[in-house]
Amino acid sequence: MTGLVPSAARAADEQVTPGADAVTASTSDENVPANVVDGDLDTRWSGEGDGAWLELDLGTTATVSHIKLAVHKGTTRQNVFELQHWDGSGWVTVHEGESSGRTTGLETFAFEPVETSKVRYLGHGYESDVDEEGDWNSLTEVEVWTGPADDDGGGGGELPAEVLDLSGWKVTLPIGDDEDPTEIFQPELDSYSHDPFFTVTESGDAVRFRAPVNGVTTGGSSYPRSELREMESGGGDEIEWSSTDGTHSMTVEGAFTHLPEDKPHLVAAQIHGGDDDVTVLRLEGSELWITEGDTSNHHLITDDYELGTLFEFRYVVSDGEIEVYFDGELETTIDHSDSTNYFKTGAYTQANCGNSSPCDEDNYGEVEIHSVSVTHDDDSRDSDATQAAVRHDWGTPLPISDEFDYEGPVDPTKWAVPTGEVGGTAGCWEGHAGNGRRCAKNSTVGDGILTMVGEANGDTGWLRQERDERYGRWEIRSRSENTGSSGGLYHPLHLIWPTEGNRLENGEYDWVEYSDPEAECLTAFLHYPRSPTDEKERRDLCPLDMTEWHNFAFEWTPDALVGYVDGEEWFHLSDGANDDRGNIQDMPSGHLNIQLDNFTGDGGLRPAVFEVDWVRVYE
């Protein structure tokens, strides 16, 4: 195995997506075809009927090798479709299949390159485990790309670090010298891949970890691995944490996809402590086990696991106990007290050339990881009664939560930012009601704080959390202040915006809103759904110094909308339907937005900052 080298990153292909005028469709409702090229995942094209199509005229002949699609409600629907190209006399199908059903972001669909001037999406409705199957065809974005066909399974040239947040990890690979396998650390890891042991899958939405039975092993093991090891933020130093101090969690979404011969045993996730593993998720044939120390068959999850079946696996460690969850269900609790723990995930093959044949690279274990997230909360944070989550026992924050314990742009797995080019700047959209611009550059993370900046020229920040749900609990620690001496005032907001985008039909929950970053009062505007006249409830809390740190929480359940400030309830609303409105808590689905809104124009603003210490989301 010595001498294998990593695959070189592919040269970037060229995007040839046309403008809005060149996008047409056989049918649409009010969600028009041009919406798929506006750089906004909140807008969409929707056409009803099996065979409804969306056409993009490139304006010239190009070598098209892959098309990227973002599906409306992509986490609950799988679009069924064909991708076609115009060959000069008719439409030819180059790809036929379904979207993954796991993301609302762009997914890459590659095919043998074709020379064409037009491409078409031919829709056959959607399938869903949540909704009934339907004949609507809905896309939020479409991108057309040229270049050579992807030859390394990399999903349109994406790197593992573009699929998973690897900022706090290193990877160990089954290559290198005996008992000295190759390890890749940050920052090199951000631009690294290796075919076939550590690379993006063909679908572009997961990372493949593969370990052959003849791979190089570490000095303390006889089995090869392609595996991530948890590191300090930034990936420079190894991390260790105590199972009796604070709360520590890891959530992995993935699938076992291949097992070695003769001894079909493979580990996909583990907690390691000191010199040995504490507990692992281990597949033995079709039996999926949770281990405890040297007891490999501690708890059986299922005896009929099928390769390729997607799962969600989670560890939650606190107070000397490890809670182990599989697909949201608590499977077992393990007692464990140690201060040298860390998380690992990937493919750790439990077979080698001594017990598995053939002894070559074609005999391997493989795991595909779609997402991985880790959180560490210390005891002082968990005992803070000024948090609604602590006072009302909301449990452990979900993986989509963000402590902002990194540097640079916001985490793209958790936040969407503006992606247009308004005003000639990449990552800028038109601002609120056409005032100024919302730009990705105006939201950055440093020193443990998210800072959203509003500039004098009207450029400001906007973030949308990458999670659409009906009901939930959110808590945010934030503050704001003016940094200039004069001008129009920015409006800070935390809100739940409806997934469908029509607030008059679906409602809108502005649970934190105020019209001056240095306001002395907090206001909430809770808009009723199904209200053409935009009926809403207003609640004010005075005095409250908005330049100071406060914990703002919002609880949305089938029963009510409840707001909290520093752990104490300040509004509670429910029902209230009449002929002009629905029940106030009945938004079909929504997502969290953080905004510093410009109500003034393209200039004359008083510069300001909106700072966020953390965002935590709960079931």
Side-chain angles (χ1 to χ4, degrees):
M1 299 288 293
T2 303
L4 290 178
V5 296
S7 304
R10 292 180 59 219
D13 298 333
E14 179 186 0
Q15 186 179 173
V16 291
T17 309
D21 293 342
V23 185
T24 57
S26 60
T27 182
S28 69
D29 56 9
E30 68 272 16
N31 299 293
V32 296
N35 288 345
V36 301
V37 293
D38 64 358
D40 186 354
L41 292 175
D42 284 336
T43 65
R44 70 181 188 274
W45 162 71
S46 291
E48 187 175 16
D50 187 359
W53 52 260
L54 178 80
E55 181 181 320
L56 292 85
D57 189 337
L58 308 182
T60 187
T61 300
T63 304
V64 178
S65 61
H66 50 286
I67 294 176
K68 298 183 182 183
L69 306 174
V71 174
H72 174 59
K73 294 187 176 180
T75 56
T76 59
R77 293 180 179 181
Q78 287 184 276
N79 278 16
V80 182
F81 64 91
E82 298 173 51
L83 297 177
Q84 300 180 323
H85 80 97
W86 180 256
D87 70 355
S89 59
W91 291 100
V92 179
T93 297
V94 293
H95 178 89
E96 185 174 359
E98 300 177 351
S99 59
S100 69
R102 293 187 290 267
T103 181
T104 57
L106 288 164
E107 296 183 74
T108 300
F109 299 91
F111 41 82
E112 288 298 318
V114 293
E115 296 288 331
T116 189
S117 62
K118 294 185 289 188
V119 297
R120 188 165 75 169
Y121 175 96
L122 183 64
H124 301 296
Y126 66 86
E127 299 176 351
S128 175
D129 293 331
V130 178
D131 306 321
E132 295 183 0
E133 294 182 2
D135 60 357
W136 278 98
N137 304 279
S138 298
L139 298 172
T140 59
E141 285 294 304
V142 177
E143 294 181 0
V144 184
W145 291 79
T146 72
D150 186 9
D151 60 4
D152 64 358
E158 290 179 297
L159 296 164
E162 295 173 324
V163 179
L164 305 178
D165 179 4
L166 300 179
S167 59
W169 301 91
K170 72 174 181 180
V171 68
T172 302
L173 297 176
I175 58 175
D177 298 325
D178 289 344
E179 297 191 357
D180 186 21
T182 298
E183 293 186 330
I184 307 298
F185 298 82
Q186 288 291 356
E188 182 184 358
L189 185 58
D190 273 344
S191 58
Y192 184 88
S193 68
H194 190 296
D195 184 14
F197 302 135
F198 176 64
T199 187
V200 178
T201 60
E202 184 176 354
S203 64
D205 64 350
V207 175
R208 176 203 302 154
F209 294 82
R210 180 183 293 184
V213 297
N214 65 338
V216 173
T217 67
T218 61
S221 174
S222 59
Y223 299 129
R225 71 186 76 212
S226 174
E227 191 177 42
L228 296 175
R229 195 271 197 209
E230 183 187 12
M231 305 287 283
E232 294 282 0
S233 179
D237 298 315
E238 293 185 347
I239 192 173
E240 292 183 347
W241 42 263
S242 172
S243 58
T244 60
D245 183 13
T247 300
H248 315 274
S249 71
M250 179 176 74
T251 303
V252 177
E253 184 181 24
F256 294 89
T257 53
H258 197 278
L259 294 175
E261 301 293 332
D262 299 325
K263 189 185 179 189
H265 296 183
L266 181 62
V267 168
Q270 61 174 296
I271 297 175
H272 205 279
D275 296 326
D276 204 357
D277 55 83
V278 177
T279 178
V280 310
L281 175 66
R282 177 184 176 115
L283 182 62
E284 300 181 0
S286 62
E287 295 182 349
L288 193 55
W289 291 91
I290 297 167
T291 72
E292 180 181 6
D294 294 331
T295 304
S296 59
N297 299 140
H298 166 68
H299 175 83
L300 180 66
I301 298 174
T302 179
D303 61 3
D304 62 353
Y305 178 84
E306 296 183 4
L307 292 179
T309 302
L310 192 67
F311 60 79
E312 182 186 80
F313 183 72
R314 188 180 195 195
Y315 290 120
V316 180
V317 187
S318 65
D319 298 325
E321 292 185 337
I322 302 171
E323 295 179 339
V324 188
Y325 296 82
F326 188 84
D327 285 343
E329 298 294 328
L330 177 63
E331 293 287 340
T332 187
T333 300
I334 298 170
D335 292 331
H336 175 66
S337 296
D338 184 68
S339 60
T340 62
N341 304 291
Y342 52 91
F343 294 119
K344 304 181 81 174
T345 186
Y348 182 19
T349 298
Q350 304 293 285
N352 55 34
C353 288
N355 54 32
S356 182
S357 179
C359 179
D360 58 36
E361 291 183 18
D362 293 329
N363 185 10
Y364 58 87
E366 183 179 276
V367 175
E368 293 181 0
I369 303 295
H370 292 263
S371 67
V372 57
S373 61
V374 169
T375 63
H376 297 288
D377 298 327
D378 61 31
D379 283 338
S380 62
R381 178 183 298 156
D382 292 339
S383 63
D384 185 359
T386 65
Q387 298 176 37
V390 173
R391 181 172 294 189
H392 300 284
D393 194 22
W394 288 354
T396 302
L398 298 177
I400 194 67
S401 304
D402 203 336
E403 299 295 324
F404 302 115
D405 51 359
Y406 49 92
E407 302 283 331
V410 294
D411 185 343
T413 68
K414 299 181 178 183
W415 302 101
V417 299
T419 56
E421 293 189 0
V422 170
T425 303
C428 286
W429 288 337
E430 194 174 60
H432 172 80
N435 296 312
R437 304 186 303 177
R438 288 172 169 169
C439 297
K441 66 180 177 64
N442 289 65
S443 299
T444 58
V445 178
D447 297 325
I449 302 293
L450 162 69
T451 301
M452 187 172 285
V453 177
E455 301 179 58
N457 67 356
D459 283 1
T460 186
W462 175 94
L463 295 177
R464 185 190 75 236
Q465 196 170 56
E466 294 281 28
R467 179 179 186 262
D468 289 275
E469 295 289 342
R470 189 179 196 191
Y471 310 130
R473 297 179 174 94
W474 297 260
E475 191 155 23
I476 299 177
R477 184 169 178 81
S478 65
R479 67 180 180 182
S480 59
E481 66 176 350
N482 294 311
T483 57
S485 59
S486 64
L489 297 172
Y490 278 99
H491 290 227
L493 291 98
H494 302 318
L495 68 140
I496 304 300
W497 180 258
T499 302
E500 299 292 335
N502 184 347
R503 77 174 191 183
L504 299 181
E505 175 61 27
N506 298 298
E508 176 186 355
Y509 305 142
D510 305 304
W511 47 283
V512 168
E513 180 174 355
Y514 46 105
S515 57
D516 180 351
E518 297 183 358
E520 295 292 333
C521 290
L522 171 65
T523 302
F525 294 94
L526 294 312
H527 299 253
Y528 285 89
R530 296 182 296 282
S531 177
T533 59
D534 193 21
E535 290 194 52
K536 53 187 173 289
E537 298 286 343
R538 173 173 177 163
R539 293 295 183 270
D540 295 279
L541 182 63
C542 301
L544 192 68
D545 185 354
M546 304 308 292
T547 68
E548 299 292 332
W549 288 110
H550 295 286
N551 301 328
F552 304 101
F554 181 68
E555 185 175 24
W556 171 28
T557 70
D559 301 318
L561 306 178
V562 187
Y564 304 86
V565 175
D566 295 331
E568 297 187 3
E569 182 179 311
W570 75 289
F571 67 76
H572 190 293
L573 298 166
S574 62
D575 304 323
N578 57 31
D579 292 341
D580 297 321
R581 67 192 190 198
N583 287 329
I584 198 166
Q585 72 275 12
D586 281 351
M587 180 191 294
S589 175
H591 51 252
L592 172 69
N593 279 16
I594 298 176
Q595 299 171 192
L596 186 58
D597 275 351
N598 173 359
F599 283 25
T600 299
D602 293 337
L605 275 294
R606 186 177 183 182
V609 293
F610 194 18
E611 295 180 306
V612 179
D613 189 6
W614 42 257
V615 176
R616 297 176 189 155
V617 186
Y618 304 84
E619 292 286 0

